[in-house]
Amino acid sequence: MNEKLMNGGTLDALLTDVGRYERPTRSEVDVQEILNEVVVRSRKKSRKIILGIASLLTVTGFATTAMASPNFVDFIARFAHVSSSSTGYMSGYTFGKGGPAYDDPTPDGVNISQNGYTSAIQEAVGIPFPRLDAPGTVIHDVEVNVVNQKTGHIEINATAITQNPTQEVMLALYHNLTKLPVFDGETIGTDTSHLLNLNGTQATYLAYEMPNSTTTYVAWQRNHWTLVLTTSDMTEKETMSIAKWVDREAQSSVS
């Protein structure tokens, strides 16, 4: 379990630190170690579902094979069933056993934030990268965190506003990621998690339903980039339309 949680911290604080947290109001969900499975929990019973096509050999061998040469085919997700009268709902994701994307012992710590894809952003990243500027979107801000330039450990977070419908969309990019993203959230609806063909590669689609809104995630890997697209109150078709645009850019962003 993550050191912060062992020392009395909460998932609320952990996800806030990582920066991938959707309007938190509760902190009752514990982070548990899971390997390539969706855990569906309710107050009365639990059941496990294997998400994707990973074999038992892939599951048991992940720690040694994927760390050396990351190839994320499936992503881990957990759904916590809660009642519609709950005081709040949350969803988000961490990495590995619950923590940040990278664990570099001597991080560069280069961080820059701009209102769009400026030349300063491009200079900070230093390599080609996919963008969120799909048709009908207006970029709000872009943040780059260069953890380690030598190893290519770079995180890019972009936020955009879509038109028709007007919604906020977020794209997180992780270069040379070596830890599997783990999604965790609460839902009042049925579990929505399935695999999709995204321009010839496999993507995982997840949706967490709340009383008045639904948060969706699309996660996939293209070249050396691991991508997580987050939308709110958009249909699967609308979300995947943006994902397809981003993925086409990722195909040309060979780095």
Side-chain angles (χ1 to χ4, degrees):
M1 183 174 289
N2 183 268
E3 181 179 354
K4 180 174 291 186
L5 293 177
M6 293 177 64
N7 292 334
T10 64
L11 183 60
D12 183 300
L14 175 61
L15 292 179
T16 299
D17 288 347
V18 178
R20 303 267 63 81
Y21 197 28
E22 296 296 316
R23 298 178 177 86
T25 53
R26 297 181 64 194
S27 58
E28 288 85 350
V29 179
D30 295 326
V31 173
Q32 300 176 2
E33 182 177 349
I34 320 166
L35 287 179
N36 281 10
E37 62 183 21
V38 175
V39 178
V40 182
R41 301 189 300 131
S42 67
R43 299 180 188 276
K44 296 182 179 180
K45 62 181 180 180
S46 299
R47 61 189 178 92
K48 296 181 180 179
I49 304 172
I50 299 298
L51 174 65
I53 58 176
S55 65
L56 180 61
L57 179 62
T58 302
V59 173
T60 57
F62 174 79
T64 56
T65 59
M67 291 303 177
S69 179
N71 184 19
F72 303 144
V73 176
D74 309 315
F75 293 82
I76 301 171
R78 184 173 67 180
F79 294 83
H81 289 184
V82 294
S83 67
S84 58
S85 60
S86 175
T87 57
Y89 303 84
M90 65 181 181
S91 67
Y93 60 94
T94 55
F95 297 84
K97 297 181 180 180
Y102 305 104
D103 291 320
D104 293 79
T106 55
D108 293 337
V110 178
N111 187 275
I112 181 173
S113 181
Q114 299 276 288
N115 294 324
Y117 291 110
T118 64
S119 58
I121 290 292
Q122 181 62 60
E123 183 179 349
V125 177
I127 56 176
F129 62 93
R131 306 188 180 198
L132 186 56
D133 51 358
T137 62
V138 178
I139 302 299
H140 181 61
D141 59 72
V142 180
E143 181 180 2
V144 173
N145 181 22
V146 181
V147 180
N148 190 320
Q149 190 77 57
K150 185 176 181 180
T151 59
H153 290 172
I154 303 170
E155 178 180 353
I156 306 172
N157 295 296
T159 303
I161 303 297
T162 65
Q163 301 172 355
N164 194 26
T166 302
Q167 299 291 350
E168 186 177 71
V169 180
M170 292 178 288
L171 175 66
L173 306 173
Y174 304 93
H175 191 257
N176 287 350
L177 190 63
T178 58
K179 293 195 293 184
L180 189 70
V182 179
F183 295 83
D184 198 331
E186 298 174 317
T187 183
I188 62 171
T190 57
D191 310 319
T192 301
S193 59
H194 51 265
L195 302 175
L196 296 171
N197 185 311
L198 180 59
N199 298 331
T201 194
Q202 182 173 285
T204 299
Y205 179 90
L206 306 164
Y208 294 92
E209 183 181 351
M210 294 166 257
N212 300 313
S213 65
T214 299
T215 300
T216 58
Y217 300 93
V218 182
W220 73 102
Q221 187 182 46
R222 178 68 75 178
N223 297 325
H224 292 282
W225 293 102
T226 300
L227 306 90
V228 179
L229 179 69
T230 305
T231 66
S232 179
D233 299 327
M234 296 181 68
T235 66
E236 180 176 323
K237 182 179 180 179
E238 292 167 340
T239 298
M240 292 308 298
S241 177
I242 298 174
K244 289 178 181 178
W245 171 274
V246 172
D247 183 68
R248 282 192 291 268
E249 290 223 332
Q251 291 182 54
S252 62
S253 301
V254 180
S255 55

